[in-house]
């Protein structure tokens, strides 16, 4: 019997246009109404996920959670509180920031390297452009990237929701992270994906207490050691006293691998990378968002649909 659903956001719960299909929304709502717990498992921030819960009609529902920052933070939606958090080792965070600045400076003049953001529990900081260039021809700091996401998700009122719900108070240019505490993760952006490979080799050789991953074709993510979606699934199960065999995990990309591996009931879609399909127990021939509704109906609502 499934007691807890974990779902990735982009490419899983959300379509390419950042929408949730009505059929999928109804399937999730029905399962929660029937007493099944639900958690988004995402690389995104808590308040971004809260917009999703608002769209789903679950922002005040019991047993609804968000494993954000790839599991670095687990948030209880109804009670509006963090129930688990792990941050980057501060000494290593300082050194990582310097390594990324140094790497960016090795690029030829005009050649774009990486754009780094340090996401603390309160604010977003970005490396000054004189050290780390933007990866597009126009400035694209963290909040612009997510503003586009928010607008697509919420429609015409997205501008107001963005202004009212953005999780940080300010976007600050910095030279160092020496004085910043509780760093949840770093986000990197690359124009040339070879730069991601090369930078990860440099950081990996330093033996920092971090996990190196990616949730987008142009980005890189540096999370605290041991922080993965799979670890988040195990942690929330322990906190909720639910067995892994009683969970359903839904994902579509590489940063979902650990989550799909630890769950005996894992579902992905036919267009997912081969590595993702290999670790999933079920592969469905439906598109993003649609396959989530189908999986929830199949495992929980006792409905079976065929394409």
């Amino acid at each position: 019997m499934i007691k807890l659903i974990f779902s990735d956001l982009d490419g899983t719960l959300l379509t390419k246009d950042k929408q949730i299909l009505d059929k999928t929304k109804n399937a999730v709502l029905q399962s929660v109404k029937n007493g099944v717990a639900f958690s988004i498992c995402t690389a995104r921030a808590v308040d971004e996920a809260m917009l999703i819960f608002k769209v789903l009609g679950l922002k005040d529902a019991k047993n609804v959670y968000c494993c954000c920052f790839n599991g670095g933070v687990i948030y209880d939606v109804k009670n509006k509180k963090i129930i688990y958090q792990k941050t980057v080792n501060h000494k290593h965070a300082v050194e990582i920031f310097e390594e990324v600045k140094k790497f960016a400076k090795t690029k030829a003049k005009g050649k774009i390297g990486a754009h780094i953001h340090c996401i603390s529990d309160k604010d977003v900081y970005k490396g000054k452009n004189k050290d780390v260039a933007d990866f597009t021809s126009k400035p694209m700091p963290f909040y612009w990237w997510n503003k586009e996401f928010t607008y697509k998700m919420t429609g015409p009122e997205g501008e107001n929701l963005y202004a009212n719900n953005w999780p940080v108070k300010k976007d600050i240019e910095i030279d160092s992270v020496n004085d910043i505490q509780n760093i949840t993760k770093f986000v990197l952006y690359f124009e040339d994906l070879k730069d991601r490979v090369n930078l990860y080799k440099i950081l990996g050789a330093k033996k920092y207490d971090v996990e190196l991953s990616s949730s987008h074709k142009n980005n890189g993510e540096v999370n605290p050691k041991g922080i993965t979606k799979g670890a988040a699934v195990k942690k929330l199960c322990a906190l909720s006293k639910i067995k892994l065999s009683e969970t359903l995990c839904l994902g579509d990309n590489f940063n979902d691998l650990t989550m799909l591996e630890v769950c005996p009931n894992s579902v992905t879609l036919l267009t997912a990378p081969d590595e993702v399909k290999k670790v999933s127990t079920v592969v469905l021939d439906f598109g993003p968002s649609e396959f989530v509704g189908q999986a929830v109906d199949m495992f929980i609502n006792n409905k079976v649909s065929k394409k």
Side-chain angles (χ1 to χ4, degrees):
M1 178 180 177
I2 301 299
K3 296 183 179 180
L4 174 55
I5 303 168
F6 291 91
S7 178
D8 171 50
L9 274 184
D10 300 290
T12 300
L13 186 62
L14 303 178
T15 66
K16 292 181 180 179
D17 294 327
K18 310 303 180 189
Q19 301 295 322
I20 302 175
L21 300 178
D22 286 341
K23 185 173 182 179
T24 295
K25 186 189 303 183
N26 292 336
V28 172
L29 283 171
Q30 184 62 47
S31 66
V32 173
K33 183 178 179 180
N34 291 339
V36 178
F38 179 76
S39 177
I40 286 172
C41 206
T42 179
R44 295 185 179 277
V46 171
D47 281 48
E48 292 178 281
M50 288 304 294
L51 294 175
I52 307 300
F53 290 120
K54 182 174 182 177
V55 171
L56 285 170
L58 293 175
K59 65 182 183 69
D60 296 313
K62 294 181 180 179
N63 300 318
V64 175
Y65 306 93
C66 182
C67 300
C68 292
F69 302 122
N70 284 327
V73 169
I74 301 179
Y75 187 78
D76 182 327
V77 173
K78 180 174 176 60
N79 294 310
K80 298 179 174 57
K81 67 177 183 179
I82 293 173
I83 57 177
Y84 173 78
Q85 181 177 21
K86 186 174 182 180
T87 56
V88 180
N89 175 292
H90 187 261
K91 179 177 181 295
H92 291 176
V94 172
E95 293 179 12
I96 288 167
F97 190 80
E98 295 304 315
E99 286 293 338
V100 175
K101 286 201 301 180
K102 187 192 305 181
F103 178 81
K105 288 178 179 177
T106 65
K107 303 290 101 180
K109 187 175 181 180
K111 176 66 176 176
I112 299 168
H115 189 170
I116 186 171
H117 298 273
C118 160
I119 306 173
S120 73
D121 56 352
K122 294 182 179 179
D123 303 306
V124 166
Y125 303 83
K126 63 176 181 176
K128 287 188 176 180
N129 288 345
K130 66 182 179 63
D131 293 326
V132 186
D134 290 314
F135 83 106
T136 59
S137 58
K138 64 179 181 178
M140 194 173 181
F142 186 87
Y143 64 86
W144 276 107
W145 185 57
N146 287 288
K147 184 176 181 179
E148 179 184 6
F149 161 80
T150 304
Y151 184 79
K152 286 182 177 179
M153 187 63 227
T154 59
E157 62 179 346
E159 293 282 354
N160 292 330
L161 283 173
Y162 165 72
N164 295 332
N165 291 283
W166 178 237
V168 296
K169 297 178 180 178
K170 49 194 172 181
D171 182 53
I172 309 168
E173 288 192 346
I174 55 174
D175 284 316
S176 167
V177 296
N178 279 315
D179 299 325
I180 302 172
Q181 302 299 318
N182 300 322
I183 296 171
T184 309
K185 75 173 191 178
F186 291 98
V187 179
L188 312 170
Y189 297 101
F190 302 89
E191 180 187 36
D192 187 343
L193 296 187
K194 291 180 181 178
D195 287 338
R196 180 170 62 194
V197 174
N198 292 332
L199 178 58
Y200 274 18
K201 286 181 180 178
I202 293 171
L203 297 179
K206 297 288 185 178
K207 306 295 183 182
Y208 294 127
D209 290 334
V210 295
E211 304 283 350
L212 303 174
S213 64
S214 172
S215 61
H216 187 272
K217 64 180 181 180
N218 291 103
N219 90 338
E221 298 182 357
V222 183
N223 294 285
K225 189 70 174 179
I227 291 300
T228 64
K229 290 188 178 184
V233 167
K234 290 181 178 180
K235 186 67 177 180
L236 185 53
C237 281
L239 292 171
S240 305
K241 295 180 171 55
I242 291 175
K243 299 176 183 178
L244 282 172
S245 60
E246 297 172 324
T247 65
L248 171 64
C249 290
L250 309 159
D252 74 299
N253 219 324
F254 292 109
N255 70 332
D256 300 319
L257 279 170
T258 56
M259 174 174 72
L260 298 172
E261 284 174 330
V262 302
C263 179
N265 309 297
S266 54
V267 184
T268 192
L269 67 173
L270 192 60
T271 56
D274 289 340
E275 295 89 337
V276 175
K277 289 186 285 188
K278 185 177 180 180
V279 301
S280 301
T281 53
V282 176
V283 178
L284 295 177
D285 188 13
F286 293 93
S289 190
E290 185 180 12
F291 91 92
V292 173
Q294 298 293 343
V296 171
D297 278 343
M298 180 187 302
F299 279 85
I300 300 170
N301 299 334
N302 298 316
K303 299 177 183 178
V304 180
S305 298
K306 294 183 179 180
K307 202 163 187 177

